[in-house]
Amino acid sequence: MARTNANYGLLAAGYLFPEIAKRAKAFQEKNPATKLLRLGIGNTTEPLSPFVVDGLKKAADRLAKVETYSGYGDEQGELRLRAAIAGRYAKSGIALTEKEIFVSDGAKPDAGNIQSIFSQDCVVAVQDPAYPVYVDTNVIAGRAGKFDAAKGRYERIVYMPCTEENGFFPQVPKQKVDLVYLCSPNNPTGAAATKEQLAKFVDYAKKNLAVIIFDSAYSQYISDPALPKSIYQVEGAKECAIEVNSFSKSAGFTGVRLGWTVVPMELACEDAAAGKLNGMWNRRQCTFFNGASNIAQEGGIAALSEQGQKECQDTIGYYMENARIIREGLSAIGLKVYGGVNAPFLWVKTPDGKKSWDFFDALLSQAHVVTTPGAGFGPHGEGFIRVSAFGHRKDIEDAVESIKKNLKI
Amino acid sequence: MARTNANYGLLAAGYLFPEIAKRAKAFQEKNPATKLLRLGIGNTTEPLSPFVVDGLKKAADRLAKVETYSGYGDEQGELRLRAAIAGRYAKSGIALTEKEIFVSDGAKPDAGNIQSIFSQDCVVAVQDPAYPVYVDTNVIAGRAGKFDAAKGRYERIVYMPCTEENGFFPQVPKQKVDLVYLCSPNNPTGAAATKEQLAKFVDYAKKNLAVIIFDSAYSQYISDPALPKSIYQVEGAKECAIEVNSFSKSAGFTGVRLGWTVVPMELACEDAAAGKLNGMWNRRQCTFFNGASNIAQEGGIAALSEQGQKECQDTIGYYMENARIIREGLSAIGLKVYGGVNAPFLWVKTPDGKKSWDFFDALLSQAHVVTTPGAGFGPHGEGFIRVSAFGHRKDIEDAVESIKKNLKI
């Protein structure tokens, strides 16, 4: 008699985005003539670079001819793409071999699946607030324990508070943990860690034989040259950190699907000498995955070329100009705005200590703007809303203008 | 101190394909002037249908324009594609709603991940021989126990022998099991189950509240109209079976990556009423997956159109003509050949009770043909080799001619 994975029953309801949709829909039904303005969505909106599109179409054309058709590729990804990714790291002085780079269909699957090569009794630490995938995948894997609804926490997860006081980058945990999820530039807070901040975690991980899972999906949005785009810019990080990255936000591939994960040969942990974790992730990918789409991979190669990089960076510049417009507009009416300088997300403090959802409702009913309540990303997200810089310029301007004109603070 | 998932240590070495490559390479080095002929690869070789290529390119073009650009889609797949897949089932009299269809990046990931929604103590039954992913993913999940090298079996896996006597389709297990993996048309044996054979498993599953995981990735190769292309053609199967399928072999998408899984609303098991398993797979996909590539999905929609189906079926006909050439050629020299009529694989009995690897070596050294030793797919694969019909016609003809001319039986 087949039984189900009981850990699914421990998942707190996926409440955030359905609830946003529900409230937006209810408002729209009451106010059918009002145009809803959206600053809540973390999804790219601008077209792909022409050079990348050309790469994608050439890949499709190659599949049309018997001389150039290709079927299954390596589960680890095309060598040319892995070499191009290694080349991207080399520009920051980081030496990686192709064997340490695993191409995938995106950062979300990798960030979700990476925990599966570790023991079920590992203790997991996450930033609070954080992207929900880190927590939910560990709940399903049986590492989180029960959810305490009053506290908004799982009993076995270690939450590392990201607050105004610490610039939204946490201190290292006081206790010993085994897996540490870090995301920088951060979703949802928009904070980008300094080298010194990351170095403290690398020290912690090496001292405690913990493994850092570093999500750098937004690294191309860093404008400050002093800030690290990769955790491997920190000395010793290869011995203790896995890095996940993506073409989603850097090349507009949210729908095309392409990402990668670096598992350095030096990486080790309690029962794994150098090389073993690299081999385990390789085995995991060869068993559960069949490679990223060859068309997407050709697009990725085009995106990493000189011309591709230039065009992709233009689009990033467009979104960051959106971020500037939002930041200045909301600051001008007295709101406290964080992020949006080295990240496409802005983290806005609610006025007068309002709850996230109350401020969400005020923005919706008064300014007709949909945002994302910070409380949905973890207990320390309470008292904030996340605003996204992804959107068409006109929509961003309209939303900011409407907030400036209509929001009663 | 992070520890690794100890189940990885239980995996028997991935011996089959590396060993084939090693022996082929050694032969080639000794005989540099000899051209190796390949009948071992389960990979598509013929170009995509022009109509499908057009669909892929149009999808890329849409991403180039702001009016038609799209980012993240539904994790479950584009509604139009799910509707087209439902339409394909409807032609066989099977009514499915879009909610029961989950589009993915291929049958391998789905066949690998589906076990994760079930309890770790479920007992797993597999056909013997079988596609290694069914076993290996359950080893990693902790359901297989230790590997007995002498027997070539994991202690907790129930192996269902597929033999000449039962036409390479197994009897239902004598004991109670929880998850039953079936693949029809079968890789590696090329056997396609009858409706009556599947009905026995549906009866077994319903009686024991077991869940069947039915891999139908080769269903489009069925030429006999009496044979079922889906397990849902069997009455009651929706209550006990999940079906995995793919565009890899039906549309040449081995590299493009697109598949789907059906989790019917009626499906239930010991602790899951109807609807619960559908919801769990939905939650799994929304947490660990971010949707298949939107370009691949447009290709899939094109492949399922009338024009696409016609062109894809032409390619299948090409491979099946390869299969006929192999079958007749090898039969003509007295070899016993199974499969290759409703499947792209042929299952060839070794002469004189030879071991799989010995016959592999004879074919390699005498005829310069690379095949796949059946023993690599499970204990009951011993005494057989798998021959694949994927390949260019000329290469297939050359390989068959060389075997006919050079093999000493």
Side-chain angles (χ1 to χ4, degrees), chain B residues 12-26:
Chain B
Y15 169 77
L16 180 62
F17 289 100
E19 182 65 23
I20 292 171
K22 197 176 124 189
R23 295 194 189 198
K25 195 179 163 213

Side-chain angles (χ1 to χ4, degrees), chain B residues 64 171 224 230 234 264 296 300 350 384 394:
Chain B
Q171 309 302 313
D224 181 346
S230 163
V234 175
T350 63
F384 292 87
K394 177 79 169 59

Side-chain angles (χ1 to χ4, degrees), chain B residues 385-405:
Chain B
I385 56 156
R386 188 189 78 171
V387 174
S388 160
F390 296 115
H392 301 319
R393 179 67 40 80
K394 177 79 169 59
D395 297 339
I396 298 285
E397 287 171 343
D398 288 352
V400 171
E401 275 316 301
S402 179
I403 293 172
K404 285 171 80 170
K405 198 171 129 197

Side-chain angles (χ1 to χ4, degrees), chain B residues 4 21 41 45 89 91 119 129 133 199 202 247-248 264 278 312 314-315 320 326 356-357 366 369 377 391 408:
Chain B
T4 58
I41 305 168
T45 57
Y89 281 99
K91 281 184 195 156
S119 156
V133 164
V202 168
F247 289 83
S248 285
N278 177 282
C312 290
D314 286 348
T315 305
M320 291 311 292
I326 299 167
S356 295
W357 279 105
Q366 295 167 21
V369 174
F377 296 97
K408 301 177 193 87

